């Protein structure tokens, strides 16, 4: 049950004065919480934090006020100059002065009687706003604040600036947030006293009040103790939730998978190469986990082309030796079919049967697979999320492998877990994730890393090229095709859109066909699965030599003799995505090239991205750089991708506190696994506050 203390914050935002359905719809655009299927609540507004402040402490006098500066002026009203009758476009001006000069306060479509009431001639007033100079004369258009000299103390000198959305005025938002703060109950302290002392954290409610009502610009900075306090609260909530998921998954205790290594040996013998040192190391760690009675929960991180699928297959062989089944789940059908192409022939050498299950298997084919999984005659199954639909039953699923984990959240991990009698779980990703993000997204997992490329892989040369030199590139591609090479050509859009002038995949394919005829193929996300497969197959078999596509080809597609990849409008892509795309080439024994086509002039961030791509092929270095350039929200693909996106924490500012939060969460749960102590009860409140209440339900489920 949610603590009654939190009820005022869980009331709908429409219960606030001045917040009707129309305003709430606008508020929902800026609330950082993932509202999904629910309406905005009062508590959501507390976490709409300012992105900057306006400092109104500067009082230079009229003559010294610089153009564009925000100033506060103490004035005497001299005269009013209303707009001439019938001329609505002429502004209403109020002239006022101080000892340094005169200023025109300018109002468009003004309400004259109201202005005369708040600024009577001869009155002493205080105004605050942005200075403008017209023809050498000072002016302030629509001052932000106007008050009589007696009320001057009521002016906010430091004013928070919030993210806004069309139609929502800063005043309405500020008033709603002020009301939400007024409903904030006194919270129990969930933080450890020693951490509070060491970090000089204020109490939770004081931290929120300081950020929303700053008395100095530093109060609203993410580096300030108040903001760091809230970030640490959020990290702790996340780490406690992950630790509870882990404890629950471990408690559904697994079983020791012992094998004699015979099937694994047969698969190894069928491999045309030997494993790298880090592949052997990762396998040793996986085998050690599998032999323990507790469930395995391991993340296998390997850069593009580092050979994760083979490690997965050898782990699956161990599951088969122990008499069980293994499932490998991929985020897309293309990738699932590719895994099947790698795994099935090798598994066959060891007498093991592999099947595929995606949304496309229908009728008799589907029934055959389902009955083979149920009776145990199918040892390995590869598929998409269709694998954990309700009617898919396994004979004895002991190992679940999830590829490209960031496309699946914790909930899907739990759904997959429910399929077997608590199967061991191996999660793979080719997105190199910096250590800080491993902690936030996968704090509940052990991590193995594949750090080397398989033997024989050549480095990829990366070059940047402005669009003006496109003709040179076309000439170079003519030569490459004559030498028997294959080329990927990536475009950011599927079809031309009027707003953004980018060459779409369809248009680019058409212009390249004028040059290269039928050698050009096309693949994009809006094509039917069957057509995508046909386009891929034609490219693989050499019927087409240039494959124009969108980022559909980003993950896992394997054509060893593709040696050139052209990425158009490279400045539009994030670093992680550029790195993923580049990994589509360099998979054979020939030298490969990645051409980053860009449109000048480049912004600072885009320039830095392209520079990083030229300098390194190390995915982990790239991921750390990406984190610096973009922040955590976008790092693992899109914001909606199950990647951690925080309400108040900013990974790039607050990462130093993550490990402390993880250790704190583990220690807390080791001492108080049911969260029943006074601090445990307070932490339950924290979990509800940051939307981690799923974890509280896990506690109840035992």
């Amino acid at each position: 049950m949610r603590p009654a203390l939190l009820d005022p914050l869980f009331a709908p935002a429409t219960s606030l004065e001045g917040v009707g359905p129309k305003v709430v719809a606008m508020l929902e655009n800026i609330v950082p919480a993932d509202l999904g299927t629910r309406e905005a609540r009062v508590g959501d507004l507390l976490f709409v934090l300012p992105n900057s402040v306006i400092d109104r402490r500067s009082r230079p006098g009229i003559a010294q006020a610089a153009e564009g500066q925000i100033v506060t002026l103490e004035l005497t009203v001299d005269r009013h100059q209303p707009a001439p009758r019938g001329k609505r476009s002429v502004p209403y001006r109020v002239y006022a002065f101080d000892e340094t000069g005169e200023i025109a306060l300018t109002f468009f479509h003004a309400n004259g009687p109201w202005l005369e009431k708040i600024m009577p001639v001869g009155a002493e007033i205080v105004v605050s706003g942005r200075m403008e100079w017209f023809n050498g004369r000072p002016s302030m258009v629509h001052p932000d604040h106007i008050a009589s000299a007696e009320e001057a103390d009521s002016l906010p000198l430091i004013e928070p600036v919030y993210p806004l959305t069309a139609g929502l005025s800063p005043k309405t938002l500020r008033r709603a947030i002020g009301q939400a703060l007024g409903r904030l109950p006194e919270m129990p302290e969930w933080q450890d006293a020693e951490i509070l002392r060491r970090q000089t954290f204020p109490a939770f409610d004081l931290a929120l009040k300081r950020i929303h009502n700053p008395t100095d610009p530093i109060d609203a900075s993410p580096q300030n103790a108040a903001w760091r306090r809230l970030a640490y609260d959020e990290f702790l909530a996340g780490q406690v939730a992950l630790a509870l998921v882990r404890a629950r998954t471990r408690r559904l205790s697994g079983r020791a998978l012992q094998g004699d290594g015979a099937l694994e040996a047969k698969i190894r013998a069928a491999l045309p190469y030997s494993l790298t040192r880090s592949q052997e190391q990762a396998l040793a760690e996986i085998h050690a986990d599998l032999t323990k009675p507790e469930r395995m929960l391991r993340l296998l991180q390997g850069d593009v082309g580092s050979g994760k699928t083979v490690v997965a297959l050898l782990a699956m062989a161990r599951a088969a030796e122990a008499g069980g089944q293994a499932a490998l789940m991929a985020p897309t059908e293309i990738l699932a079919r590719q895994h099947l192409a790698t795994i099935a022939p090798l598994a066959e050498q060891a007498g093991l049967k592999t099947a595929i299950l995606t949304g496309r298997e229908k009728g008799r084919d589907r029934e055959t697979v389902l009955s083979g999984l149920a009776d145990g005659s199918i040892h390995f199954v590869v598929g998409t999320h269709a694998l954990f639909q309700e009617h898919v039953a396994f004979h004895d699923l002991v190992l679940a492998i999830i590829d490209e984990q960031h496309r699946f959240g914790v909930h899907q991990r739990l759904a997959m877990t429910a399929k077997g009698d608590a199967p061991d779980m191996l999660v793979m990703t080719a997105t190199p994730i910096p250590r800080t993000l491993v902690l936030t997204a996968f704090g509940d997992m052990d991590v193995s890393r594949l750090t080397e490329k398989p033997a024989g892989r050549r480095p990829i040369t990366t070059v940047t090229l402005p669009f003006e030199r496109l003709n040179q590139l076309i000439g170079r591609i003519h030569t490459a095709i004559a030498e028997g090479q294959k080329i990927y050509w990536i475009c950011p859009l599927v079809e031309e859109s009027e707003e953004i002038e980018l060459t779409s995949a369809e248009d680019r394919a058409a212009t390249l066909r004028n040059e290269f005829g039928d050698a050009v193929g096309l693949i994009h996300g809006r094509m039917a699965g069957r057509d995508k497969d046909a386009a891929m197959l034609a490219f693989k078999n050499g019927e087409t030599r240039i494959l124009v596509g969108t980022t559909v080809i980003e993950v896992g597609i394997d054509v060893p003799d593709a040696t050139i990849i052209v990425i158009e409008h490279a400045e539009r892509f994030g670093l992680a995505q550029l790195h993923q795309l580049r990994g589509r080439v360099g998979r054979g024994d020939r030298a490969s090239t990645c051409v980053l086509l860009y449109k000048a002039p480049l912004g600072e961030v885009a320039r830095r991205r392209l520079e990083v791509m030229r300098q390194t092929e190390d995915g982990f270095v790239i991921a750390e750089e990406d984190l610096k350039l973009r922040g955590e929200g976008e790092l693992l693909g899109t914001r909606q991708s199950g990647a951690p996106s925080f309400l108040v924490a900013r990974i790039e500012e607050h990462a130093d506190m993550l490990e402390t939060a993880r250790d704190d969460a583990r220690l807390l749960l080791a001492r108080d696994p049911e969260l029943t102590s006074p601090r445990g009860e307070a932490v339950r409140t924290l979990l509800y506050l940051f939307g981690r209440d799923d974890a509280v339900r896990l506690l109840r489920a035992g």
Side-chain angles (χ1 to χ4, degrees), residues 403-426:
D403 193 17
E404 287 308 321
Q405 151 69 27
H406 63 273
R407 313 268 177 114
F408 305 103
V410 171
H411 304 297
Q412 281 117 320
R413 296 217 303 258
L414 288 172
M416 193 72 188
T417 300
K419 277 290 166 208
D421 179 16
D424 285 301
M425 189 163 287
L426 177 67

Side-chain angles (χ1 to χ4, degrees), residues 3 7 161 171 194 393 423 428 447 467 493 566 579 593 605 659:
D7 289 349
V161 178
K171 210 172 253 174
E194 176 54 24
M428 308 195 295
V447 180
F467 263 102
L493 293 176
V566 177
H579 178 64
T593 309
V605 172
E659 299 222 22

